[in-house]
Amino acid sequence: YLQLDHHLISSKMIVDTRPAQDILEDDAVLWQSFLGIEVKLKKNVFDPEKLVLMDLDENFTQGLGFVYVLPSSKNRALIEYTVFSKNRLFEQDLAPYLENALSKYLGENNFEVTHQEHGILPMGNKFIPDQRQESYLRAGLYAGAARPSSGYAFQRIQSWAQQCAESLVLQSKLKAQPEDKKLQQFMDALFLKVIRENQSIAAKIFHRLFQKCDTLSIIRFMSDQASLRECLNIMRSLPTLPFLKALPAFMFGMDSD
């Protein structure tokens, strides 16, 4: 059974996707905070065949700040400012940076806001729930559904939902979010530690990554589709010193914070 505020729900099996309660700042290695708006213009200023994946803001020093632009037509697009940082940032914190992005991509063109969104997602959850219960399953962002190094979750959740549905139909069993491969876990955890400890140069780290490594390989890596060769190429493309400095403490379970 599941106790809600005013109801008690009982079922043979429960999949619980509610956000975890009483989340603290230190319950994730980093936080992804974002603020975005969908705009509609009278003029055609976008190419719906092209998107801006990560326009890095090298002036942002509280972590990694970047803009992405996702056009849906020649005159409509989602423009979003995103931050990876130790601290959670709220709408009022991100608004000035989004305004700068709008000025950069829209210029003096008038626009209509058709949708606005703000969110804060954990990157590298420190407390993934135990999934050994047969009749109750925690799922979603706070059960390890999001990729720690990128925050990508949609495709991972869709894949898990398909597997869980098949398991219920064929075996009458719930299926938890699959664990990432060991190499991927290692790379994500080390990467988050380096970004956390080098927030002022986070943009430079990503800039070098995009300079030295094929963009499609980076996208595949962030989407859990990279080959071993692509993973190794990504490791080689990153600046050596920050990762070497972080490695001993990472390997021996120490935390510099």
Side-chain angles (χ1 to χ4, degrees):
Y1 66 90
L2 189 64
Q3 179 67 58
L4 303 181
D5 290 340
H6 304 291
H7 303 282
L8 184 66
I9 297 176
S10 63
S11 175
K12 292 182 178 179
M13 296 183 184
I14 294 176
V15 177
D16 188 353
T17 62
R18 295 176 300 169
Q21 302 298 311
D22 302 322
I23 297 298
L24 302 177
E25 202 96 76
D26 289 334
D27 286 346
V29 180
L30 291 177
W31 293 92
Q32 179 181 154
S33 307
F34 58 88
L35 175 64
I37 60 172
E38 185 182 56
V39 296
K40 180 180 179 181
L41 295 84
K42 292 183 179 179
K43 294 183 178 180
N44 295 332
V45 299
F46 303 113
D47 181 348
E49 299 298 319
K50 296 181 180 179
L51 62 85
V52 177
L53 180 63
M54 293 181 78
D55 181 0
L56 300 171
D57 184 357
E58 297 198 20
N59 295 318
F60 188 86
T61 58
Q62 303 171 51
L64 176 71
F66 62 91
V67 179
Y68 74 81
V69 182
L70 181 61
S72 55
S73 70
K74 292 182 179 181
N75 70 332
R76 297 184 73 138
L78 172 66
I79 302 177
E80 194 143 295
Y81 195 90
T82 301
V83 171
F84 298 171
S85 64
K86 292 181 184 180
N87 308 114
R88 293 171 286 189
L89 299 180
F90 299 93
E91 189 172 337
Q92 63 270 23
D93 303 314
L94 297 171
Y97 300 102
L98 178 59
E99 289 176 8
N100 290 338
L102 294 174
S103 178
K104 176 178 179 178
Y105 284 96
L106 303 181
E108 298 298 324
N109 291 302
N110 293 325
F111 60 89
E112 173 190 350
V113 177
T114 58
H115 175 72
Q116 178 170 323
E117 63 180 17
H118 168 259
I120 302 174
L121 309 177
M123 300 178 68
N125 297 16
K126 293 184 178 179
F127 304 103
I128 302 296
D130 191 337
Q131 300 288 19
R132 287 178 293 182
Q133 300 182 61
E134 293 185 0
S135 59
Y136 176 82
L137 177 68
R138 289 279 301 175
L141 292 179
Y142 291 92
R147 176 72 184 272
S149 63
S150 66
Y152 287 10
F154 182 80
Q155 289 181 321
R156 289 162 63 99
I157 290 175
Q158 294 301 306
S159 176
W160 159 78
Q162 180 70 29
Q163 294 174 41
C164 189
E166 290 175 355
S167 180
L168 279 171
V169 170
L170 299 176
Q171 303 178 35
S172 299
K173 293 181 180 180
L174 296 171
K175 184 177 178 63
Q177 181 78 35
E179 282 194 3
D180 292 332
K181 296 177 181 178
K182 296 299 182 184
L183 176 60
Q184 185 169 301
Q185 290 182 38
F186 170 80
M187 292 178 68
D188 280 3
L190 180 59
F191 183 78
L192 289 180
K193 182 174 180 62
V194 169
I195 296 298
R196 180 180 172 89
E197 294 180 355
N198 298 273
Q199 292 194 98
S200 63
I201 63 167
K204 293 180 180 178
I205 292 174
F206 267 84
H207 190 265
R208 173 166 173 153
L209 175 62
F210 278 97
Q211 272 189 328
K212 299 285 186 179
C213 196
D214 175 70
T215 302
L216 289 178
S217 294
I218 297 172
I219 294 173
R220 282 194 287 268
F221 176 75
M222 293 173 124
S223 305
D224 303 346
Q225 297 172 6
S227 65
L228 177 59
R229 175 180 290 183
E230 287 173 320
C231 289
L232 294 176
N233 286 340
I234 286 172
M235 293 173 70
R236 283 195 293 264
S237 71
L238 294 168
T240 304
L241 187 58
F243 284 84
L244 285 179
K245 288 176 66 176
L247 193 57
F250 176 78
M251 295 295 291
F252 292 102
M254 296 179 288
D255 195 336
S256 60
D257 292 330

Coordinates of all heavy atoms in Angstrom, one line a residue, residues 105-190:
Y105 N 20.1 35.7 -29.8 CA 19.5 34.9 -30.9 C 18.3 35.5 -31.6 O 17.9 35.2 -32.7 CB 19.1 33.5 -30.3 CG 20.3 32.6 -30.1 CD1 20.9 32.5 -28.9 CD2 20.8 31.9 -31.2 CE1 22.0 31.7 -28.7 CE2 21.9 31.1 -31.0 CZ 22.5 31.0 -29.8 OH 23.6 30.2 -29.6
L106 N 17.6 36.5 -30.9 CA 16.5 37.1 -31.5 C 16.7 38.6 -31.9 O 15.9 39.1 -32.7 CB 15.3 37.1 -30.5 CG 14.9 35.7 -30.0 CD1 13.7 35.8 -29.1 CD2 14.6 34.7 -31.2
G107 N 17.8 39.2 -31.4 CA 18.1 40.6 -31.7 C 16.9 41.5 -31.3 O 16.4 41.4 -30.2
E108 N 16.5 42.4 -32.3 CA 15.5 43.3 -32.0 C 14.1 42.8 -32.4 O 13.1 43.6 -32.3 CB 15.8 44.6 -32.7 CG 17.1 45.3 -32.3 CD 17.1 45.7 -30.9 OE1 16.0 46.2 -30.4 OE2 18.1 45.6 -30.2
N109 N 14.0 41.6 -32.8 CA 12.7 41.0 -33.3 C 11.7 40.9 -32.1 O 12.1 40.3 -31.1 CB 12.9 39.7 -34.0 CG 13.6 39.8 -35.3 OD1 13.2 40.5 -36.2 ND2 14.8 39.1 -35.4
N110 N 10.5 41.3 -32.3 CA 9.5 41.1 -31.3 C 9.1 39.6 -31.3 O 9.1 38.9 -32.3 CB 8.3 42.0 -31.6 CG 8.6 43.4 -31.4 OD1 9.4 43.8 -30.6 ND2 8.0 44.3 -32.3
F111 N 8.7 39.1 -30.1 CA 8.3 37.7 -30.0 C 7.2 37.5 -29.0 O 7.0 38.4 -28.1 CB 9.5 36.8 -29.7 CG 10.1 37.2 -28.3 CD1 9.7 36.6 -27.2 CD2 11.2 38.1 -28.3 CE1 10.3 36.9 -25.9 CE2 11.8 38.4 -27.1 CZ 11.3 37.8 -25.9
E112 N 6.5 36.5 -29.2 CA 5.4 36.1 -28.3 C 5.9 34.8 -27.5 O 6.4 33.9 -28.1 CB 4.1 35.7 -29.0 CG 3.0 35.1 -28.2 CD 1.9 34.6 -29.0 OE1 1.9 34.8 -30.3 OE2 1.0 33.9 -28.5
V113 N 5.7 34.8 -26.2 CA 6.0 33.7 -25.4 C 4.9 32.7 -25.3 O 3.8 33.1 -24.8 CB 6.4 34.1 -23.9 CG1 6.7 32.9 -23.1 CG2 7.6 35.0 -24.0
T114 N 5.0 31.5 -25.9 CA 3.9 30.5 -25.9 C 4.1 29.5 -24.8 O 3.1 28.8 -24.5 CB 3.9 29.8 -27.3 OG1 5.2 29.2 -27.5 CG2 3.7 30.8 -28.4
H115 N 5.2 29.4 -24.2 CA 5.4 28.4 -23.1 C 6.7 28.8 -22.3 O 7.6 29.3 -22.9 CB 5.6 27.0 -23.7 CG 5.9 26.0 -22.6 ND1 5.0 25.5 -21.7 CD2 7.0 25.3 -22.4 CE1 5.5 24.6 -20.9 NE2 6.8 24.5 -21.3
Q116 N 6.7 28.6 -21.0 CA 7.9 28.8 -20.2 C 8.1 27.6 -19.3 O 7.1 27.0 -18.8 CB 7.7 30.1 -19.4 CG 8.9 30.3 -18.4 CD 8.9 31.7 -17.8 OE1 8.5 32.7 -18.4 NE2 9.3 31.8 -16.6
E117 N 9.3 27.2 -19.0 CA 9.6 26.1 -18.1 C 10.8 26.4 -17.3 O 11.7 27.1 -17.7 CB 9.8 24.8 -18.9 CG 11.0 24.8 -19.9 CD 11.2 23.5 -20.6 OE1 10.2 22.8 -20.7 OE2 12.3 23.3 -21.2
H118 N 10.8 25.9 -16.1 CA 11.9 25.9 -15.2 C 12.0 24.6 -14.4 O 11.0 24.1 -14.0 CB 11.8 27.1 -14.2 CG 12.8 27.0 -13.1 ND1 12.5 26.6 -11.8 CD2 14.1 27.4 -13.0 CE1 13.5 26.6 -11.0 NE2 14.5 27.1 -11.7
G119 N 13.2 24.1 -14.2 CA 13.4 22.9 -13.5 C 14.7 22.8 -12.9 O 15.7 23.5 -13.2
I120 N 14.8 21.9 -11.9 CA 16.1 21.6 -11.2 C 16.2 20.0 -11.1 O 15.3 19.4 -10.5 CB 16.1 22.2 -9.8 CG1 16.0 23.7 -9.9 CG2 17.5 21.9 -9.1 CD1 15.8 24.4 -8.6
L121 N 17.2 19.5 -11.7 CA 17.4 18.0 -11.8 C 18.7 17.6 -11.1 O 19.7 18.3 -11.3 CB 17.4 17.5 -13.3 CG 16.3 18.0 -14.2 CD1 16.5 17.5 -15.6 CD2 15.0 17.6 -13.7
P122 N 18.7 16.5 -10.4 CA 19.9 16.0 -9.8 C 20.8 15.3 -10.8 O 20.4 14.6 -11.7 CB 19.4 14.9 -8.8 CG 18.1 14.4 -9.4 CD 17.5 15.6 -10.1
M123 N 22.1 15.6 -10.7 CA 23.1 14.9 -11.6 C 24.1 14.2 -10.6 O 24.8 14.8 -9.9 CB 23.9 16.0 -12.4 CG 23.0 16.8 -13.3 SD 23.9 18.1 -14.2 CE 24.9 17.0 -15.3
G124 N 24.0 12.8 -10.7 CA 24.8 12.0 -9.8 C 24.2 11.9 -8.4 O 24.7 12.4 -7.4
N125 N 23.0 11.3 -8.4 CA 22.3 11.1 -7.1 C 23.2 10.3 -6.1 O 23.8 9.4 -6.5 CB 21.0 10.3 -7.3 CG 20.0 11.0 -8.1 OD1 20.3 11.9 -8.8 ND2 18.8 10.5 -8.1
K126 N 23.2 10.8 -4.9 CA 24.0 10.1 -3.9 C 23.3 9.0 -3.2 O 23.8 8.1 -2.5 CB 24.6 11.1 -2.8 CG 25.6 12.1 -3.4 CD 26.1 13.0 -2.4 CE 27.2 14.0 -3.0 NZ 27.7 14.9 -1.9
F127 N 21.9 9.0 -3.3 CA 21.1 8.0 -2.6 C 20.1 7.4 -3.5 O 19.0 7.8 -3.6 CB 20.4 8.7 -1.4 CG 21.4 9.4 -0.4 CD1 21.5 10.7 -0.4 CD2 22.1 8.6 0.4 CE1 22.4 11.4 0.4 CE2 23.0 9.3 1.3 CZ 23.1 10.6 1.3
I128 N 20.5 6.4 -4.3 CA 19.6 5.6 -5.1 C 18.9 4.6 -4.3 O 19.6 3.9 -3.5 CB 20.4 4.9 -6.3 CG1 21.2 5.9 -7.1 CG2 19.4 4.1 -7.1 CD1 20.3 6.9 -7.8
P129 N 17.6 4.5 -4.3 CA 16.9 3.6 -3.4 C 17.1 2.2 -3.7 O 17.4 1.8 -4.8 CB 15.4 4.0 -3.6 CG 15.4 4.6 -5.0 CD 16.7 5.3 -5.1
D130 N 17.0 1.4 -2.6 CA 17.1 -0.1 -2.8 C 15.9 -0.6 -3.6 O 14.8 -0.3 -3.3 CB 17.1 -0.7 -1.4 CG 17.5 -2.2 -1.4 OD1 17.3 -2.8 -2.4 OD2 18.0 -2.7 -0.4
Q131 N 16.2 -1.5 -4.5 CA 15.1 -1.9 -5.4 C 14.8 -3.4 -5.3 O 14.4 -4.1 -6.2 CB 15.5 -1.6 -6.9 CG 15.7 -0.1 -7.2 CD 14.4 0.7 -7.2 OE1 13.4 0.2 -6.6 NE2 14.4 1.8 -7.7
R132 N 15.1 -4.0 -4.1 CA 14.9 -5.4 -4.0 C 13.5 -5.9 -3.6 O 13.2 -7.0 -3.6 CB 15.9 -5.9 -2.9 CG 17.3 -6.0 -3.3 CD 18.3 -6.4 -2.2 NE 18.3 -5.4 -1.1 CZ 19.1 -5.6 -0.1 NH1 19.8 -6.7 0.1 NH2 19.1 -4.7 0.9
Q133 N 12.6 -4.9 -3.4 CA 11.2 -5.3 -3.1 C 10.5 -5.8 -4.4 O 10.7 -5.2 -5.4 CB 10.5 -4.1 -2.5 CG 11.1 -3.6 -1.2 CD 10.3 -2.4 -0.6 OE1 9.1 -2.6 -0.3 NE2 10.9 -1.3 -0.5
E134 N 9.7 -6.8 -4.3 CA 9.1 -7.4 -5.5 C 7.8 -6.6 -5.8 O 7.4 -6.6 -7.0 CB 8.7 -8.8 -5.2 CG 10.0 -9.7 -5.1 CD 9.6 -11.2 -5.0 OE1 8.4 -11.5 -5.0 OE2 10.6 -12.0 -4.9
S135 N 7.1 -6.0 -4.9 CA 5.8 -5.4 -5.2 C 5.9 -3.8 -5.2 O 4.8 -3.2 -5.5 CB 4.8 -5.8 -4.1 OG 5.2 -5.4 -2.8
Y136 N 7.0 -3.2 -4.9 CA 7.1 -1.8 -4.8 C 8.4 -1.3 -5.5 O 9.5 -1.9 -5.2 CB 7.1 -1.3 -3.4 CG 7.3 0.2 -3.3 CD1 6.2 1.1 -3.4 CD2 8.6 0.8 -3.0 CE1 6.4 2.5 -3.3 CE2 8.8 2.1 -2.9 CZ 7.7 3.0 -3.0 OH 7.9 4.3 -2.9
L137 N 8.3 -0.4 -6.4 CA 9.4 0.0 -7.2 C 9.5 1.6 -7.3 O 8.5 2.2 -7.7 CB 9.3 -0.5 -8.6 CG 10.4 -0.1 -9.6 CD1 11.7 -0.7 -9.2 CD2 10.1 -0.5 -11.0
R138 N 10.6 2.1 -6.9 CA 10.9 3.6 -7.1 C 11.4 3.7 -8.5 O 12.3 3.0 -9.0 CB 11.9 4.1 -6.1 CG 11.4 4.2 -4.7 CD 10.6 5.4 -4.4 NE 11.3 6.6 -4.7 CZ 10.8 7.8 -4.6 NH1 9.5 8.0 -4.3 NH2 11.5 8.9 -4.8
A139 N 10.9 4.7 -9.2 CA 11.3 4.9 -10.6 C 11.4 6.4 -10.9 O 10.9 7.3 -10.1 CB 10.3 4.3 -11.6
G140 N 12.1 6.8 -12.0 CA 12.2 8.2 -12.3 C 13.5 8.8 -12.0 O 14.5 8.1 -11.7
L141 N 13.5 10.1 -11.9 CA 14.8 10.9 -11.7 C 15.5 10.5 -10.5 O 16.8 10.4 -10.4 CB 14.5 12.4 -11.7 CG 14.1 13.0 -13.0 CD1 13.8 14.5 -12.9 CD2 15.1 12.8 -14.1
Y142 N 14.8 10.3 -9.4 CA 15.4 10.0 -8.1 C 15.6 8.5 -7.9 O 15.9 8.1 -6.8 CB 14.6 10.6 -7.0 CG 14.7 12.2 -7.0 CD1 13.7 12.9 -7.7 CD2 15.7 12.8 -6.4 CE1 13.8 14.3 -7.7 CE2 15.8 14.2 -6.4 CZ 14.9 14.9 -7.1 OH 15.0 16.3 -7.2
A143 N 15.5 7.8 -8.9 CA 15.8 6.3 -8.9 C 16.9 6.0 -9.9 O 17.0 4.8 -10.3 CB 14.6 5.5 -9.1
G144 N 17.7 7.0 -10.3 CA 18.8 6.8 -11.3 C 18.4 6.8 -12.7 O 19.2 6.3 -13.5
A145 N 17.2 7.4 -13.1 CA 16.8 7.4 -14.5 C 17.6 8.3 -15.3 O 17.8 8.1 -16.5 CB 15.3 7.7 -14.6
A146 N 18.1 9.4 -14.7 CA 18.8 10.5 -15.5 C 20.3 10.1 -15.7 O 20.9 9.6 -14.7 CB 18.7 11.8 -14.9
R147 N 20.8 10.3 -16.8 CA 22.3 10.1 -17.0 C 23.0 11.1 -16.2 O 22.8 12.3 -16.3 CB 22.6 10.3 -18.5 CG 24.1 10.2 -18.8 CD 24.6 8.8 -18.7 NE 26.0 8.7 -19.0 CZ 26.6 8.6 -20.2 NH1 25.8 8.5 -21.3 NH2 27.9 8.5 -20.3
P148 N 23.9 10.7 -15.3 CA 24.5 11.6 -14.3 C 25.3 12.8 -15.0 O 25.2 13.9 -14.5 CB 25.5 10.7 -13.5 CG 24.8 9.4 -13.6 CD 24.2 9.3 -14.9
S149 N 26.0 12.5 -16.1 CA 26.9 13.5 -16.6 C 26.2 14.5 -17.5 O 26.7 15.6 -17.8 CB 28.0 12.9 -17.4 OG 27.5 12.1 -18.5
S150 N 25.0 14.2 -18.0 CA 24.3 15.0 -18.9 C 22.9 15.4 -18.4 O 22.3 16.4 -18.9 CB 24.1 14.4 -20.3 OG 23.3 13.2 -20.2
G151 N 22.3 14.6 -17.5 CA 20.9 14.9 -17.1 C 19.9 14.3 -18.1 O 18.7 14.4 -17.9
Y152 N 20.4 13.7 -19.2 CA 19.4 13.2 -20.2 C 18.6 12.0 -19.6 O 19.2 11.1 -18.9 CB 20.2 12.6 -21.4 CG 20.8 13.6 -22.4 CD1 20.8 15.0 -22.0 CD2 21.3 13.3 -23.6 CE1 21.3 15.9 -22.9 CE2 21.8 14.2 -24.5 CZ 21.8 15.5 -24.1 OH 22.4 16.5 -24.9
A153 N 17.3 12.1 -19.7 CA 16.5 11.1 -19.0 C 15.4 10.5 -19.9 O 14.9 9.4 -19.7 CB 15.9 11.7 -17.8
F154 N 14.9 11.3 -20.9 CA 13.7 10.9 -21.6 C 13.8 9.5 -22.2 O 13.0 8.6 -22.0 CB 13.3 11.9 -22.6 CG 12.0 11.6 -23.4 CD1 10.8 11.9 -22.8 CD2 12.0 11.0 -24.6 CE1 9.6 11.6 -23.5 CE2 10.9 10.8 -25.3 CZ 9.7 11.0 -24.7
Q155 N 14.8 9.3 -23.0 CA 15.0 8.1 -23.8 C 15.3 6.9 -22.8 O 14.8 5.8 -23.0 CB 16.1 8.1 -24.8 CG 15.8 9.0 -26.0 CD 16.9 9.1 -27.0 OE1 18.1 9.1 -26.6 NE2 16.6 9.1 -28.3
R156 N 16.0 7.2 -21.7 CA 16.3 6.1 -20.7 C 15.0 5.7 -20.0 O 14.8 4.5 -19.8 CB 17.3 6.7 -19.7 CG 18.7 6.8 -20.3 CD 19.6 7.7 -19.4 NE 19.8 7.3 -18.1 CZ 20.9 6.6 -17.6 NH1 21.9 6.4 -18.5 NH2 21.1 6.3 -16.4
I157 N 14.2 6.7 -19.7 CA 12.9 6.3 -19.0 C 12.0 5.6 -20.0 O 11.3 4.6 -19.6 CB 12.2 7.6 -18.5 CG1 13.0 8.2 -17.3 CG2 10.8 7.3 -18.1 CD1 12.5 9.5 -16.8
Q158 N 12.0 6.0 -21.3 CA 11.1 5.3 -22.2 C 11.6 3.8 -22.4 O 10.8 2.9 -22.5 CB 11.2 6.0 -23.6 CG 10.6 7.4 -23.6 CD 9.1 7.4 -23.2 OE1 8.3 6.6 -23.8 NE2 8.8 8.1 -22.2
S159 N 12.9 3.6 -22.5 CA 13.4 2.3 -22.6 C 13.1 1.4 -21.4 O 12.7 0.2 -21.5 CB 15.0 2.3 -22.8 OG 15.5 1.1 -22.8
W160 N 13.3 2.0 -20.2 CA 13.0 1.3 -18.9 C 11.5 0.9 -18.9 O 11.1 -0.2 -18.5 CB 13.3 2.1 -17.7 CG 12.6 1.6 -16.5 CD1 12.8 0.5 -15.7 CD2 11.3 2.2 -16.0 NE1 11.9 0.3 -14.8 CE2 10.9 1.4 -14.9 CE3 10.6 3.3 -16.3 CZ2 9.8 1.6 -14.2 CZ3 9.4 3.5 -15.6 CH2 9.0 2.7 -14.5
A161 N 10.6 1.9 -19.2 CA 9.2 1.7 -19.2 C 8.8 0.5 -20.1 O 7.9 -0.3 -19.7 CB 8.4 2.9 -19.6
Q162 N 9.4 0.4 -21.3 CA 9.1 -0.7 -22.2 C 9.5 -2.0 -21.5 O 8.8 -3.0 -21.6 CB 9.9 -0.5 -23.5 CG 9.7 -1.6 -24.5 CD 8.3 -1.6 -25.1 OE1 7.6 -0.6 -25.2 NE2 7.8 -2.8 -25.5
Q163 N 10.7 -2.1 -21.0 CA 11.2 -3.3 -20.3 C 10.4 -3.7 -19.1 O 10.1 -4.9 -18.9 CB 12.7 -3.1 -19.9 CG 13.7 -2.9 -21.0 CD 15.0 -2.6 -20.5 OE1 15.5 -3.1 -19.5 NE2 15.7 -1.6 -21.1
C164 N 10.0 -2.7 -18.3 CA 9.1 -3.0 -17.2 C 7.8 -3.5 -17.6 O 7.2 -4.5 -17.0 CB 9.0 -1.7 -16.3 SG 8.2 -2.0 -14.7
A165 N 7.2 -2.9 -18.6 CA 5.9 -3.4 -19.1 C 5.9 -4.8 -19.6 O 5.1 -5.6 -19.3 CB 5.4 -2.4 -20.2
E166 N 7.0 -5.1 -20.3 CA 7.2 -6.5 -20.9 C 7.4 -7.5 -19.7 O 6.8 -8.6 -19.8 CB 8.4 -6.5 -21.8 CG 8.1 -5.8 -23.1 CD 9.3 -5.7 -24.0 OE1 10.4 -6.2 -23.6 OE2 9.2 -5.2 -25.1
S167 N 8.1 -7.1 -18.7 CA 8.3 -7.9 -17.5 C 7.0 -8.2 -16.8 O 6.7 -9.3 -16.3 CB 9.3 -7.3 -16.6 OG 9.6 -8.1 -15.5
L168 N 6.2 -7.2 -16.7 CA 4.9 -7.4 -16.0 C 4.0 -8.3 -16.8 O 3.3 -9.2 -16.2 CB 4.2 -6.0 -15.9 CG 4.6 -5.1 -14.7 CD1 4.0 -3.7 -14.8 CD2 4.3 -5.7 -13.4
V169 N 4.0 -8.2 -18.1 CA 3.1 -9.0 -19.0 C 3.6 -10.4 -19.0 O 2.8 -11.4 -18.8 CB 3.0 -8.4 -20.4 CG1 2.3 -9.4 -21.3 CG2 2.3 -7.1 -20.4
L170 N 4.9 -10.6 -19.1 CA 5.4 -12.0 -19.3 C 5.7 -12.7 -18.0 O 5.6 -13.9 -18.0 CB 6.7 -11.9 -20.2 CG 6.5 -11.3 -21.6 CD1 7.8 -11.2 -22.3 CD2 5.5 -12.2 -22.4
Q171 N 6.2 -12.0 -17.0 CA 6.6 -12.6 -15.7 C 5.9 -12.1 -14.5 O 6.1 -12.6 -13.4 CB 8.1 -12.4 -15.6 CG 9.0 -12.8 -16.7 CD 10.4 -12.5 -16.5 OE1 10.9 -12.6 -15.4 NE2 11.1 -12.2 -17.6
S172 N 5.0 -11.2 -14.6 CA 4.3 -10.6 -13.5 C 5.3 -10.0 -12.5 O 5.1 -10.1 -11.3 CB 3.3 -11.6 -12.8 OG 2.4 -12.0 -13.8
K173 N 6.4 -9.4 -13.0 CA 7.4 -8.8 -12.1 C 7.7 -7.4 -12.5 O 7.7 -7.1 -13.7 CB 8.7 -9.7 -12.1 CG 8.5 -11.0 -11.5 CD 9.9 -11.8 -11.6 CE 9.8 -13.2 -11.0 NZ 11.1 -13.9 -11.0
L174 N 8.0 -6.6 -11.5 CA 8.5 -5.2 -11.8 C 10.0 -5.3 -12.2 O 10.7 -6.1 -11.7 CB 8.3 -4.3 -10.6 CG 6.9 -4.0 -10.2 CD1 6.8 -3.3 -8.8 CD2 6.1 -3.2 -11.2
K175 N 10.4 -4.4 -13.0 CA 11.8 -4.3 -13.4 C 12.4 -2.9 -13.2 O 11.8 -1.9 -13.6 CB 12.0 -4.7 -14.9 CG 13.4 -4.7 -15.4 CD 13.5 -5.2 -16.9 CE 14.9 -5.2 -17.4 NZ 15.7 -6.2 -16.7
A176 N 13.4 -2.9 -12.4 CA 14.0 -1.6 -12.0 C 14.8 -1.0 -13.2 O 15.1 -1.7 -14.2 CB 14.9 -1.8 -10.8
Q177 N 15.1 0.3 -13.1 CA 16.0 1.0 -14.0 C 17.3 0.2 -14.1 O 18.0 0.0 -13.1 CB 16.2 2.4 -13.6 CG 17.1 3.2 -14.5 CD 16.4 3.7 -15.7 OE1 15.2 4.0 -15.7 NE2 17.0 3.8 -16.9
P178 N 17.8 -0.2 -15.3 CA 19.0 -1.0 -15.4 C 20.2 -0.1 -15.0 O 20.2 1.1 -15.2 CB 19.1 -1.3 -16.9 CG 17.7 -1.1 -17.4 CD 17.1 -0.1 -16.6
E179 N 21.2 -0.8 -14.4 CA 22.4 -0.1 -14.0 C 23.2 0.2 -15.2 O 23.3 -0.5 -16.2 CB 23.3 -0.9 -13.0 CG 22.8 -0.9 -11.6 CD 23.8 -1.5 -10.7 OE1 24.9 -1.8 -11.1 OE2 23.5 -1.6 -9.5
D180 N 23.9 1.4 -15.2 CA 24.8 1.7 -16.3 C 26.0 0.8 -16.3 O 26.4 0.2 -15.2 CB 25.3 3.2 -16.2 CG 24.2 4.2 -16.4 OD1 23.2 3.8 -17.1 OD2 24.2 5.3 -15.8
K181 N 26.7 0.7 -17.4 CA 27.9 -0.1 -17.5 C 29.0 0.5 -16.6 O 29.0 1.7 -16.4 CB 28.4 -0.2 -19.0 CG 27.4 -1.0 -19.9 CD 27.9 -1.0 -21.3 CE 26.9 -1.7 -22.2 NZ 27.3 -1.6 -23.6
K182 N 29.9 -0.4 -16.1 CA 30.9 0.1 -15.2 C 31.8 1.2 -15.7 O 32.1 2.2 -15.0 CB 31.8 -1.1 -14.7 CG 31.1 -2.2 -14.0 CD 30.5 -1.7 -12.7 CE 29.7 -2.8 -11.9 NZ 29.1 -2.3 -10.7
L183 N 32.2 1.1 -17.0 CA 33.0 2.1 -17.6 C 32.3 3.4 -17.6 O 32.8 4.5 -17.3 CB 33.5 1.7 -19.0 CG 34.3 2.8 -19.7 CD1 35.6 3.2 -19.0 CD2 34.6 2.3 -21.2
Q184 N 31.0 3.4 -18.0 CA 30.2 4.6 -18.0 C 30.0 5.2 -16.7 O 30.0 6.4 -16.5 CB 28.8 4.3 -18.7 CG 27.9 5.5 -18.9 CD 26.7 5.1 -19.7 OE1 26.9 4.7 -20.9 NE2 25.5 5.3 -19.2
Q185 N 29.8 4.3 -15.6 CA 29.6 4.8 -14.3 C 30.9 5.5 -13.8 O 30.9 6.6 -13.2 CB 29.3 3.7 -13.3 CG 28.0 3.0 -13.5 CD 27.7 1.9 -12.5 OE1 28.2 2.0 -11.3 NE2 27.1 0.9 -12.9
F186 N 32.1 4.9 -14.1 CA 33.3 5.5 -13.8 C 33.5 6.9 -14.5 O 33.9 7.9 -13.8 CB 34.5 4.6 -14.1 CG 35.8 5.2 -14.0 CD1 36.5 5.3 -12.8 CD2 36.5 5.6 -15.1 CE1 37.7 5.8 -12.7 CE2 37.8 6.2 -15.0 CZ 38.4 6.3 -13.8
M187 N 33.3 6.9 -15.8 CA 33.5 8.2 -16.5 C 32.6 9.3 -16.0 O 33.0 10.4 -15.8 CB 33.3 7.9 -18.0 CG 34.4 7.0 -18.6 SD 34.1 6.7 -20.4 CE 34.3 8.4 -21.1
D188 N 31.3 8.9 -15.8 CA 30.4 9.9 -15.3 C 30.7 10.5 -13.9 O 30.7 11.7 -13.7 CB 28.9 9.3 -15.3 CG 28.3 9.3 -16.7 OD1 28.9 9.7 -17.6 OD2 27.1 8.9 -16.7
A189 N 31.1 9.6 -13.0 CA 31.4 10.0 -11.7 C 32.6 10.9 -11.6 O 32.7 11.9 -10.9 CB 31.5 8.8 -10.8
L190 N 33.7 10.5 -12.4 CA 34.9 11.3 -12.4 C 34.6 12.6 -13.0 O 35.1 13.7 -12.6 CB 36.0 10.5 -13.1 CG 37.4 11.2 -13.2 CD1 37.9 11.5 -11.8 CD2 38.3 10.4 -14.0

